[in-house]
Amino acid sequence: MKGILNEIRFFKSHEHNMKVLLLTNLIYGFVLPVVEIFAGAYVMRDTNDPAMVAYYQLAMYVGVVFTSMVNGFFLKFLNVKTLYSAGILVSGVSLAGMMNIQGLGLVGLGLAGFSLGAASGFFWTNRYLLALYNTNDENRNYYFGLESFFFSVASITVPLIIGAFIGGMSGVEILGFLFDVSMSYKVVTIGVFFLTLLACAVLWKGQFVMPKEIKFLHIHFHVLWRKMLLLASLKGMVQGFLVTAPAILVMKFVGDEGALGLIQGISGAITAIMVYVLGRIARPQDRKWIFFGSVWVFFIGTLANGILFSAVGVIMFVLCKVIFQPLFDLAYFPVMMRTIDVVAKLENRNEYTYIMSHEVGLFIGRASGLLLFIALAYCISEDFALKYALVIVSALQILAYPLSNNITKQSNLLAKQNGYEEK
């Protein structure tokens, strides 16, 4: 109990805006698993086609890039809190819209994915911007460690609760409504919308500054930022699979959404504690080791899935995936923001320039990974794609370790040479 009280006091010792952001993300963390996991499972159930799930995901990422650009123009006359709140709210609304589409055809699936991606674009770009302005390189390990702790806890509890709800309510009639899987999803979506309202209410307690009103569209960048965009592409290449592959593989080999929630929960509990402790004690120079461990854990998981391609292999993959994702993000986001700090000063540009172009880098990786999966699924077979596409992208992900190490060294060198001080 004393240790918990000490951690609460440490949290309270930080800036007001940083605490507001973390509390907002704590609440929204209980929405993300629904958007990231169960939306994919819903599409898989409706279409019974893994390639269509990948297509839906690709449409979603097109929406992210589109709104990240539109967001830059909106920032000139709308408060960043308004745009961040819009992203939170629209994610719930667009999810509800997808659940009400009767028969997800190619056009409907594309529109559903694009609209959910559009909401995500407003959410993630403004989230990055607020985190960049309200943290510094010394406290970002703690910030992203605590945030990853929230998301990891949510990834345990939400799938378990929703999986149990979907399974337990099947065939039950309440007030004349017969609950099937589709009806259960709609009830879940209503709950998601109320959570988004609560997250917005907390966000508005913050006093956030607006970004500078200068040009944010650029094509040419310093070599350091081009390296960061390459790292973003490597991250994006895996990211698409992290959303679609677990749902597809679990439903193919293990069972339904309830099984998906149980498997995620087993490794998520350990990971949640691990990322919090690492975020609390790790120094900026320790990020390279977190990178190193995370990419190899993920590679081992994909290799187990590719070799075994069975329920055991899927369980091993999902366990490794749940460990990999928060650990990788714990190291990745502070490196990204440190690089933005340095390059924005070096090139005298608006920080949003780099946040928007970072989304483009992520999209290139996401599109490459998902198109690889679709090509393998249609040209060879779905099983071949599920086996080997993951192995290929996880092997490429190993390159993130030396690349991030180089980016960190060059960022520190440029900051020292130009006399840049931490905020």
Side-chain angles (χ1 to χ4, degrees):
M1 180 60 72
K2 185 178 179 180
I4 295 174
L5 291 175
N6 286 337
E7 295 305 311
I8 292 173
R9 281 193 289 268
F10 184 74
F11 171 79
K12 289 181 176 179
S13 68
H14 289 86
E15 294 286 339
H16 173 72
N17 284 344
M18 180 174 162
K19 290 184 290 187
V20 168
L21 283 176
L22 284 169
L23 289 173
T24 302
N25 293 337
L26 164 63
I27 298 167
Y28 192 76
F30 289 90
V31 175
L32 277 179
V34 184
V35 175
E36 293 188 346
I37 300 171
F38 290 98
Y42 180 85
V43 174
M44 180 64 181
R45 181 182 290 277
D46 191 89
T47 64
N48 197 31
D49 186 350
M52 289 293 281
V53 179
Y55 165 72
Y56 157 79
Q57 201 65 36
L58 187 60
M60 180 177 172
Y61 291 138
V62 172
V64 171
V65 173
F66 175 77
T67 50
S68 67
M69 183 176 68
V70 172
N71 187 75
F73 292 105
F74 284 169
L75 280 169
K76 294 181 179 181
F77 54 88
L78 289 176
N79 190 285
V80 66
K81 286 193 297 187
T82 302
L83 292 170
Y84 193 25
S85 298
I88 292 173
L89 289 172
V90 176
S91 63
V93 173
S94 58
L95 189 63
M98 186 185 76
M99 299 301 176
N100 284 289
I101 294 175
Q102 298 298 318
L104 290 171
L106 199 65
V107 175
L109 197 61
L111 289 174
F114 182 86
S115 62
L116 195 57
S120 297
F122 283 117
F123 171 77
W124 288 107
T125 51
N126 290 296
R127 170 184 173 273
Y128 293 150
L129 188 63
L130 288 172
L132 181 68
Y133 281 166
N134 294 281
T135 61
N136 57 56
D137 196 49
E138 293 301 318
N139 63 23
R140 282 173 186 154
N141 280 3
Y142 174 72
Y143 178 89
F144 287 106
L146 186 55
E147 188 179 73
S148 293
F149 173 77
F150 294 155
F151 291 164
S152 296
V153 170
S155 75
I156 302 167
T157 56
V158 172
L160 284 173
I161 293 169
I162 295 178
F165 176 76
I166 292 172
M169 292 300 293
S170 181
V172 175
E173 185 174 343
I174 299 177
L175 299 176
F177 292 98
L178 180 63
F179 275 76
D180 55 10
V181 172
S182 180
M183 177 62 73
S184 297
Y185 270 120
K186 289 173 183 177
V187 173
V188 168
T189 304
I190 293 171
V192 164
F193 185 70
F194 280 110
L195 282 175
T196 60
L197 289 175
L198 181 59
C200 291
V202 173
L203 178 67
W204 278 84
K205 294 184 180 294
Q207 302 296 323
F208 303 112
V209 297
M210 293 288 286
K212 302 169 188 173
E213 292 189 27
I214 57 177
K215 182 181 177 182
F216 68 91
L217 289 174
H218 297 275
I219 298 175
H220 301 289
F221 295 100
H222 189 277
V223 64
L224 176 60
W225 186 246
R226 294 202 297 270
K227 289 179 181 179
M228 189 65 226
L229 291 178
L230 178 57
L231 184 61
S233 296
L234 288 173
K235 174 181 170 62
M237 189 174 287
V238 168
Q239 209 169 38
F241 288 100
L242 292 183
V243 178
T244 57
I248 294 170
L249 287 167
V250 170
M251 293 180 73
K252 183 179 181 69
F253 285 107
V254 182
D256 57 14
E257 288 87 342
L260 177 61
L262 180 61
I263 293 169
Q264 299 252 69
I266 293 171
S267 55
I270 299 171
T271 307
I273 297 170
M274 185 173 15
V275 293
Y276 179 78
V277 172
L278 284 174
R280 183 76 160 83
I281 66 173
R283 301 163 297 172
Q285 57 266 39
D286 296 327
R287 291 167 190 158
K288 62 181 180 180
W289 301 115
I290 300 173
F291 262 117
F292 181 82
S294 65
V295 295
W296 277 103
V297 165
F298 186 61
F299 180 70
I300 291 168
T302 59
L303 207 57
N305 175 68
I307 294 171
L308 299 175
F309 204 56
S310 63
V312 174
V314 170
I315 290 170
M316 291 179 66
F317 163 67
V318 175
L319 290 174
C320 290
K321 172 258 179 186
V322 174
I323 295 170
F324 157 76
Q325 192 169 8
L327 283 178
F328 187 87
D329 288 350
L330 175 62
Y332 178 87
F333 287 118
V335 169
M336 179 196 81
M337 292 190 174
R338 170 64 168 166
T339 308
I340 294 176
D341 286 338
V342 173
V343 181
K345 291 185 178 74
L346 198 65
E347 297 187 313
N348 192 29
R349 292 175 179 173
N350 187 343
E351 288 89 344
Y352 193 77
T353 296
Y354 305 98
I355 290 174
M356 192 199 72
S357 61
H358 177 262
E359 288 299 327
V360 175
L362 286 173
F363 175 76
I364 291 170
R366 290 162 173 168
S368 300
L370 289 170
L371 289 173
L372 171 67
F373 178 83
I374 293 171
L376 291 176
Y378 280 119
C379 296
I380 304 177
S381 71
E382 289 178 1
D383 285 353
F384 186 89
L386 287 168
K387 280 183 183 180
Y388 300 115
L390 280 167
V391 176
I392 293 169
V393 297
S394 66
L396 290 172
Q397 191 76 359
I398 293 173
L399 297 174
Y401 166 68
L403 182 58
S404 65
N405 205 17
N406 179 269
I407 290 170
T408 299
K409 288 180 179 178
Q410 193 173 355
S411 295
N412 292 336
L413 180 62
L414 286 171
K416 185 176 180 181
Q417 288 176 344
N418 293 277
Y420 299 148
E421 296 181 357
E422 284 294 331
K423 295 178 288 184

